[in-house]
Amino acid sequence: MNDQQLTRTALLWQLLSVVIVTLPHIPHLPYWITLVVILCIVWRLMVYLGRWSLPPKWLKTCLVLAAGVGVLASYKEGGGISVTVALLVVGFGLKVIELYHRRDSLIVLYVAYLVASTIFLFSQSVGTAIYVILAIIIVTSALMSTNLSRETGFIYPLKRSVLMLIPAFPLMVVLFMGMPRLGPLWEVGLDKSAAKTGLADTMIPGDITRLTRSAEVAFRVRFDGEAPDQTKLYWRSIVLSDFDGRGWLKDEEKVPKLPRNRDIKDNRAFHYEVILESNQRNYIPVLDYLSAWPSELNAYADMTLASKTKIVNREQYKISSRLDRGFGLDKTADDFAKELHIPLGNNEAKRLASSWWQESATPQAFIDKMKQYYHQNFNYSLTPPSVR
């Protein structure tokens, strides 16, 4: 029975399923993957109309190899779970041109359920949940049409699948409300603090390179409307204001909190949603300068934003920032004394700074010398030398 040829109705439902589960992935995938999926759907439609024939085996092999190389080339800097999703979607699309027998149809539909579930990796909004439910109904209708041995009307499989799924909705609601929130099965029992990387309360030159090498997504941002210029995307997570001569540390004194600003409708502010991955920390990256934030978060005078508890799951926050001004940045004499304090050690750096000051007629001239030295003697590297 698995070698039975698909009916025309079943084939149309198959192609509709592919389109429905692929659409939400278009913004997250390289554009050429979308073109490959469209090409495969068009090819199968032309076969359906009797104008083209199914591709030979050697051509399908070349397409698979080219797609694999293309994904690796598109994510050569690393892409985490996005690489896996890209491979899944492009393979899913290529399988469409093989749709002929019931066996091929079942493979495509089972993968379609998986592709639909990966939509939640990029969005967990209510609208996304409704869309995925509709996609599951469409895929189930395609599965229903595949198991019908005779030609039927196009709507008939949809009616049958809806009637079959309706009794499952009450159970879905009960499981959603009553089941504990467990992590993915491949993470259960793992030490998440050891498996995840994140910013620490201290930074010794060289430590941060281990984080920049990570291909894992730290956070995503969606702007309501136009996004700021690329040069303005300065994200503030932690302020390390103390220097002990070797490393930078977070201020040991408690930073005062900012009063909550409810001016959400500020037309001069940028409004955006931060989707933050688990990092085992309280810090939340924000644009300078904070204008409004959720009530469950705390904002501080150093313009940082923090959760009251450690972030152990993916979280979403709606935040507003003003790039043209900051508030709560008044410095006291104690603040300046602390940040201008020169710790013991670093004698070579002190001698160099002293010679610059003696050679400079004004403070601005001293600053210009420092900038010139910085641009001529430093460069970015993932493998910096150890601190002596």
Side-chain angles (χ1 to χ4, degrees):
M1 186 174 178
N2 285 340
D3 292 332
Q4 181 179 344
Q5 185 176 342
L6 290 174
T7 63
R8 296 200 168 199
T9 300
L11 178 61
L12 292 177
W13 274 108
Q14 299 278 323
L15 299 180
L16 179 60
S17 299
V18 173
V19 172
I20 291 296
V21 300
T22 304
L23 276 177
H25 287 292
I26 292 177
H28 314 294
L29 297 175
Y31 70 92
W32 66 266
I33 292 183
T34 303
L35 295 179
V36 168
V37 175
I38 293 175
L39 174 63
C40 293
I41 292 174
V42 171
W43 194 319
R44 192 59 187 88
L45 278 174
M46 297 302 286
V47 174
Y48 166 76
L49 296 174
R51 298 180 181 179
W52 294 358
S53 60
L54 292 171
K57 186 174 182 180
W58 67 267
L59 180 56
K60 291 187 288 186
T61 302
C62 291
L63 288 173
V64 170
L65 293 176
V69 172
V71 170
L72 294 178
S74 298
Y75 294 94
K76 57 185 177 182
E77 298 296 333
I81 195 65
S82 298
V83 180
T84 306
V85 174
L87 283 171
L88 178 65
V89 173
V90 73
F92 175 62
L94 290 173
K95 187 64 180 176
V96 170
I97 58 178
E98 283 192 330
L99 279 176
Y100 189 76
H101 296 107
R102 181 174 177 271
R103 177 184 62 253
D104 305 317
S105 171
L106 293 176
I107 294 174
V108 169
L109 293 177
Y110 293 153
V111 176
Y113 282 116
L114 180 58
V115 174
S117 67
T118 59
I119 297 172
F120 288 116
L121 294 173
F122 303 96
S123 174
Q124 299 83 38
S125 65
V126 175
T128 300
I130 294 174
Y131 185 92
V132 172
I133 290 174
L134 293 176
I136 289 175
I137 293 175
I138 297 298
V139 177
T140 305
S141 300
L143 188 61
M144 180 72 68
S145 66
T146 301
N147 287 278
L148 296 175
S149 57
R150 57 184 177 82
E151 191 71 54
T152 62
F154 185 76
I155 302 299
Y156 179 76
L158 178 62
K159 293 180 179 178
R160 291 290 303 272
S161 64
V162 170
L163 291 175
M164 184 178 66
L165 290 174
I166 284 177
F169 277 96
L171 178 61
M172 179 189 71
V173 173
V174 170
L175 291 177
F176 178 79
M177 301 297 294
M179 286 290 291
R181 301 294 189 265
L182 299 176
L185 293 178
W186 55 86
E187 288 186 359
V188 172
L190 294 178
D191 179 6
K192 289 188 176 181
S193 62
K196 299 289 183 181
T197 57
L199 296 175
D201 291 338
T202 61
M203 194 280 288
I204 298 175
D207 283 357
I208 198 69
T209 59
R210 290 199 293 269
L211 180 62
T212 56
R213 278 186 170 278
S214 174
E216 295 185 15
V217 175
F219 65 97
R220 297 181 177 88
V221 177
R222 284 199 295 257
F223 286 93
D224 297 341
E226 185 179 358
D229 185 76
Q230 187 72 24
T231 59
K232 303 293 185 181
L233 294 179
Y234 177 86
W235 298 95
R236 182 187 295 256
S237 291
I238 315 172
V239 174
L240 305 178
S241 54
D242 282 354
F243 181 61
D244 63 1
R246 179 177 174 84
W248 295 93
L249 308 97
K250 190 173 175 59
D251 193 344
E252 293 183 356
E253 296 183 9
K254 190 172 183 180
V255 181
K257 293 181 181 179
L258 290 176
R260 178 164 161 71
N261 184 7
R262 299 181 179 275
D263 191 14
I264 303 293
K265 297 181 180 180
D266 187 348
N267 293 328
R268 292 169 294 178
F270 287 93
H271 308 289
Y272 54 96
E273 182 182 47
V274 174
I275 305 173
L276 185 62
E277 300 295 328
S278 168
N279 58 17
Q280 299 296 320
R281 300 285 176 179
N282 302 71
Y283 313 122
I284 297 167
V286 295
L287 284 175
D288 283 342
Y289 298 95
L290 278 171
S291 174
W293 55 90
S295 58
E296 67 268 21
L297 304 179
N298 293 326
Y300 296 92
D302 58 2
M303 302 309 296
T304 58
L305 190 64
S307 171
K308 298 173 183 177
T309 58
K310 289 184 177 181
I311 298 170
V312 296
N313 296 303
R314 180 181 293 162
E315 302 289 350
Q316 295 178 243
Y317 304 105
K318 287 189 175 294
I319 302 169
S320 299
S321 294
R322 288 276 301 274
L323 305 186
D324 56 346
R325 67 169 177 86
F327 59 90
L329 296 179
D330 296 332
K331 293 288 186 180
T332 65
D334 288 341
D335 292 329
F336 282 115
K338 183 186 303 178
E339 294 177 1
L340 294 175
H341 170 69
I342 301 177
L344 297 175
N346 295 283
N347 295 325
E348 188 176 341
K350 292 176 183 177
R351 286 193 295 269
L352 180 60
S354 179
S355 66
W356 287 346
W357 182 255
Q358 293 174 2
E359 297 169 1
S360 303
T362 64
Q364 184 60 47
F366 174 81
I367 294 173
D368 292 339
K369 282 183 176 291
M370 183 173 61
K371 287 182 176 179
Q372 182 181 8
Y373 182 84
Y374 174 80
H375 290 299
Q376 291 179 352
N377 295 275
F378 291 90
N379 62 284
Y380 289 100
S381 173
L382 292 177
T383 56
S386 59
V387 179
R388 294 179 294 175

